[in-house]
Amino acid sequence: MDLTPKKLVDGSSKCFICSSASLKADKIYIFGKSALDIAEIIRSSLDVDTGCYSENSELFVCRDKCYKRLIKFQRASAEVHKLESPHILAQLAQLGQNHDADLTKAKERICKEISNLKQAQEKQKNSFTHHASHVNCTSACHEKLVSTRREVYEVKKSSHPGYTISFDNLDIQLQMKNMPMQSQNQDIHWVNHHMVSGAQFDSQKPKANLQDVSNLKFLPSIYDQQRQRSNYIILASRILVNHFKVLEPLKEACVQHIPQKYTQELSEKSKKVVNHYI
């Protein structure tokens, strides 16, 4: 059964929060001399008013567990209150001011460039079809083939790389201790956007019809099994050096990132756009 703070006060050798027994050296007295207002932190974090116990000078929290948690809460609360600075909020608002307009322009550009690319590819296809019907080709025919191929290459090179947007929500409640008209409780809702380029993916057509693909295509090959074994070795080596101190000097020799198909793309610096709603 959970113990209430009133019951915990009965024992002078028990922590006010977790009710664990503590030695004198491990006690942090709630109403003792301290740079921190322990009673106020308990009220903010646990919604428990310890003022009615102020006459009990023996009231304490354990140093190793509860005191450390209260300190972490106090530091986190201080960081959250910094966010209510008008300067910071103004900067965040400025970052997201033209967010919708930028996305709309990018969408219009991508649609236009996709249309231009389809036209260039269609021109290239017609040139190849016309070239295939020739018995003897002239230099002009070859130049036309090279020109259409170069046109497709230039359109792809100058096109927008494309992107995928992943979202992450951040909801914050700022509770004011004193609430004058100029400083009320606030609900802040931010959305973090992370854009990842998708230029390396083919969005024109699927690679094959799923009904025509044999089940054998989904079975792991010898190469797949060798890669899987290699990945297991990498993962097992990380576990060993993390849990066995005698192997800890070999930690730098372990592979920290398993190589994959898009390792190079993922290692490049991405463009990050932050927007928020208040």
Side-chain angles (χ1 to χ4, degrees), residues 117-181:
L117 179 60
K118 287 183 178 180
Q119 293 178 5
Q121 290 175 336
E122 186 67 23
K123 186 186 296 185
Q124 184 185 29
K125 181 179 179 181
N126 294 336
S127 297
F128 275 111
T129 303
H130 186 66
H131 173 72
S133 63
H134 291 174
V135 178
N136 296 319
C137 292
T138 62
S139 58
C141 183
H142 286 286
E143 290 179 0
K144 186 175 182 181
L145 288 175
V146 173
S147 175
T148 55
R149 187 182 298 111
R150 186 184 300 111
E151 182 180 357
V152 172
Y153 172 77
E154 292 296 334
V155 171
K156 288 184 177 180
K157 184 179 179 181
S158 60
S159 296
H160 193 285
Y163 53 82
T164 298
I165 303 179
S166 58
F167 295 88
D168 188 14
N169 296 330
L170 180 61
D171 302 321
I172 300 176
Q173 284 188 337
L174 297 180
Q175 301 288 342
M176 302 294 113
K177 183 176 179 180
N178 299 313
M179 289 195 300
M181 292 297 296

Side-chain angles (χ1 to χ4, degrees), residues 19 24 33 39 64 70-71 73 82 98-99 101-102 109 111 121 134 142 157 190 212 230 244 269 276:
S19 190
K24 185 175 181 180
K33 294 181 179 180
D64 293 336
L70 291 174
I71 293 299
F73 176 84
K82 289 181 181 179
N98 298 321
H99 178 262
D102 292 338
R109 175 186 168 185
C111 292
Q121 290 175 336
H134 291 174
H142 286 286
K157 184 179 179 181
W190 292 339
D212 299 334
S230 176
F244 293 90
K269 186 176 181 180
H276 72 284

